[in-house]
Amino acid sequence: RQQLAHFIESEKRIPVQEERLNGLLSQKETLQDAYFALEGQMEDLFNKITDLKEELAGLDSLTEAEEADIRNRRAEAARAIEEAQMRKGSAQQRLDDVTELRDSLVSCTERLNATAATLSMYEVLKTAFSQDGVPHQIIRNIIPHIRETANSILGAMTGGTMGVDFVLDKVTKGNNNEKATLDVVIEEYGKTTLPYTSKSGGEKVKASLAVILALAEIKTSAAGIQLGMLFIDEPPFLDADGTDAYVDALETIRQRYPAVKIMAITHDEAMKARFSQAITVVKTEAGSKVIY
């Protein structure tokens, strides 16, 4: 999900990158036009210098005035050459800038294309894992099976007075984003249907065990195997009624799965007394000791 958020954030920056890309393309065209214009001017200057050199080479005997005029023209030609060289250096620098901008443009375009391709793939994944994607469809299809199996187990635990149900909803959050929710509610004869978190400890224990066993039963049935052993740690903070409900639920499990061995871990002596066999671990000065 963090990767997905990262690429979604990258997708938001695409318009800014595209705007920058358009600006770079415009700068590239302007600099190329200026460079071509400078090349034309430089070519004219070099042609002029060549003409001057040829003209100077054809002179054999000159008067003082002609020599002075030639010196002036040579000085003017030297200045023209120096100016042309300076303009050539400036044009070369601008051409280098254009080349650098072009390379940056190519690199930026490649990154944008790669990001767009990655975002496209994540869009497919986002759709696949959305509210209408495959995993949610699997959940929707299996919920009735889990409900039926869990209620069969829970009904046996409570004499048919309790049931459990699952509520799938789409909750709209900020920016019109939808978030899936899966709420567990407990139905009890003669009482108001309430969410799992609002029920007492004993009721939660029975509902939890029923759902856990339903999931285990469905999974093992699909895999073609049978439950062999069930390890359960005692639920914390249960009152006496909750503890009794817990052990009653375990008794129901034994009746439903006669071949299953159940091992429950507890520090409650009253709960321990409900079991026909016990393995006690005590702490001594020599270390832990196991009493059968």
Side-chain angles (χ1 to χ4, degrees), residues 201-203 205 235 238-247:
E203 292 165 337
V205 165
L238 283 182
D239 55 18
D241 291 338
T243 300
D244 287 338
Y246 184 75
V247 179

Side-chain angles (χ1 to χ4, degrees), residues 138-179:
I138 294 174
I139 292 174
R140 290 190 184 96
N141 291 333
I142 201 173
I143 281 295
H145 193 187
I146 297 175
R147 181 190 299 115
E148 179 183 356
T149 307
N151 281 327
S152 173
I153 298 171
L154 189 56
M157 288 181 183
T158 62
T161 61
M162 280 184 64
V164 65
D165 197 7
F166 304 91
V167 181
L168 281 167
D169 284 321
K170 293 180 180 179
V171 179
T172 302
K173 301 295 185 180
N175 299 323
N176 295 323
N177 291 327
E178 289 186 344
K179 181 179 180 181

